Amino acid sequence: WRGGPVNAKAHLELLGPVEEAGRGSPHHAERCVHDRADSALRLWTTQPRWDENFDLGPVSSMNFLLRVACYHHRDAVSIDFTGGPGDEAAGGSASIGGGAVGASPEAGQAAFLGEG
């Protein structure tokens, strides 16, 4: 992150198909989180790698997405990460990148966005 070592943790979310949210606009739709998992914390590294398996599901259609967000935790001793993407205050964490990939062949390649 910005060229220095990080205390990195990944947050994974399995998102279901787009559903109408019923918030007054027929064009407003959102995805529901069907399952989630967090990786182990990798301390003081410039190239975090995980040798972990995650069992997320079930996936009932090809319209599901897997969203992954990576966070740097400033305080590796007292981490209490319960937030999700966009919740950068959780556990003293800051987003350092993320992306999403679809289950369908038409979804193409994942788009990953880095901030550091």
Side-chain angles (χ1 to χ4, degrees):
W1 185 52
R2 299 182 184 156
V6 295
N7 300 319
K9 188 171 188 176
H11 180 74
L12 295 84
E13 290 182 330
L14 181 64
L15 305 173
V18 174
E19 299 173 1
E20 289 299 320
R23 294 192 180 148
S25 170
H27 302 292
H28 182 81
E30 61 184 33
R31 292 183 178 268
C32 179
V33 177
H34 283 263
D35 206 353
R36 64 181 49 148
D38 289 315
S39 73
L41 180 66
R42 296 292 177 236
L43 297 174
W44 204 242
T45 179
T46 56
Q47 296 178 348
R49 292 188 176 98
W50 291 273
D51 184 19
E52 296 182 56
N53 295 308
F54 300 95
D55 188 14
L56 301 174
V59 174
S60 57
S61 80
M62 296 299 281
N63 295 320
F64 276 68
L65 285 178
L66 176 65
R67 179 168 55 194
V68 180
C70 190
Y71 293 90
H72 165 61
H73 294 274
R74 292 173 193 87
D75 181 2
V77 176
S78 61
I79 291 178
D80 179 22
F81 182 73
T82 56
D87 188 5
E88 296 177 359
S93 64
S95 176
I96 55 176
V101 64
S104 70
E106 298 84 34
Q109 302 228 346
F112 285 88
L113 308 172
E115 297 178 9

